Structures are given as C-alpha cells and as structure tokens.
Amino acid sequence: MGMSAPIWDKGFPPGYGNTSISYLLRCEEFGRAKRGDLSAARSVATKCVKLDSLLTLRRLYPDAVLLPVQRENALPVALAQAVGLPVCYDVYRSDAVQRKKLPAMERFLHRPVFCGSIKQGVSYIIIDDVVTQGGTVTALRDFVVTRGGKVVAVAALAFAGGSVIAPAEETLSRAALHISPAFWEKLGVYGITAQPAGLTDMQLKYLLSFRSSESIENKLEESAAKLSAAYKS
C-alpha cells in the first residue's frame, strides 16, 4: 500500500468551513453536483458559502492558488470558483477505489492517488466539498509538498469535526494513553504514518472510538484484507 506518509507540519493552518453537513445534504441539487453537474454544484455553493470565509481566504492568502479535489464530484471546483482566487485544474484523483463508499476503517487505510503537475514554491489552498476523517486532504497535501509546493490552508463546504485538520494536543495525549505502540508499528506496514502526529485530528478520534488497542488492531487487519481484495478486483 505504499510508503509511510510524512507527518503534518507543526502549526498546519486550520481549515475554513462554510456550513453544516446536514444543511449541505438537504440542498436539492446536491446529488446532481456530486455526479458532476457543475451548474448544480454552483447553485449548492451559492447557498452554502459564507462570505466572511471567502473574504478571509482572499485577505490572508492573496497569492495562493486554489487546488480543488477533482474527480466526478463538481462541488470542490464550484467552491474554488466562488472563492475568487486563481484555480489549478491540472491535478486529479486517479485511484480506482471510491473512497467515500468504503467503511470507516477501510477509508482510513486507503490513501487516494493523485496525478498532475505542481509548481515549486507556489502556495496552494486545498478545496474539498466535505472533510470527514481528512484522509483525502492529507494525501493531496503530501502530493503537493513532495513536489515542491506549499499548502497554506484547507477550505471545504463542510467539516465533520469542526475546521481542525492537524491533531489537537488533547487528542494526541489521549492517543498516547489509549493506543499501544504495537498498533503504530502495524499501521506503518500499511503505508500510513506510524505515529499519532502523522494523522488528522478526526482520524485519531476515530481510532479512539474503539474500546481497546486490540480491537483496533483486529479491525485494522480485517479491513486491510478487504481493501487488498478490492484493489485486485
């Protein structure tokens, strides 16, 4: 499943959200937007964006380039266009697995694959429609920084756990107490960073929802086997 991912930089900037997931899902055009209808996506974005959030991005990062997560879903592109900064359309998700359809642990393990060109030294703002565990954002960030770009912010229509990307100190402290070192050793085998600071806050909170390290490890191995079968099919 690839090499272990680099850890998050200390002080990675917070995300910029706009609305709740529940409101987003109630938008009439949401389904069409997810299936690639850009006109519907623009309508959803118009209903969901907060002007203050857009103005903050323009003010804080006037020289940044917006990098929407591109696949079939048209919502990231629509949000990027609403922000009003330059948009990069050269990067796409290229993996065959539909990540958001996977169960939670399999989604945790699966790292999206991207292709395209990144300009060295350019500051990028990653744009997605919904950030849940943050795995897609993490993978795209790694794609950018390993090619010489910078990621200065993340923006989305909605965040599942608040606009927090990097792990909070409280979450890291809980992980140190409740997740055994043996788990992190196993995690590295599957191409995921083998230390708590390498995960997003929501990824760590997902792991902390298990009753014990043993139960996490069992679920990890079971899900890794299923995901491996999906890659081969």
Side-chain angles (χ1 to χ4, degrees), residues 100-210:
K100 290 189 179 296
K101 294 182 179 180
L102 296 172
M105 182 59 84
E106 291 170 44
R107 188 167 69 248
F108 171 79
L109 284 171
H110 174 61
R111 284 181 59 77
V113 178
F114 292 90
C115 64
S117 59
I118 292 295
K119 295 182 179 179
Q120 291 192 8
V122 170
S123 295
Y124 291 93
I125 299 174
I126 293 175
I127 307 286
D128 206 352
D129 60 334
V130 178
V131 176
T132 49
Q133 288 186 2
T136 299
V137 167
T138 303
L140 183 49
R141 174 189 175 274
D142 294 346
F143 180 85
V144 172
V145 299
T146 55
R147 287 159 178 78
K150 304 174 185 177
V151 174
V152 295
V154 176
L157 287 172
F159 284 79
S163 301
V164 176
I165 305 297
E169 289 298 325
E170 179 186 359
T171 312
L172 288 169
S173 297
R174 289 175 57 205
L177 289 172
H178 297 291
I179 303 177
S180 72
F183 170 78
W184 299 110
E185 291 177 10
K186 288 187 177 181
L187 195 59
V189 174
Y190 298 112
I192 308 297
T193 182
Q195 53 184 304
L199 302 179
T200 68
D201 194 66
M202 287 302 293
Q203 285 176 320
L204 278 178
K205 286 178 177 176
Y206 166 67
L207 296 178
L208 289 168
S209 69
F210 288 83

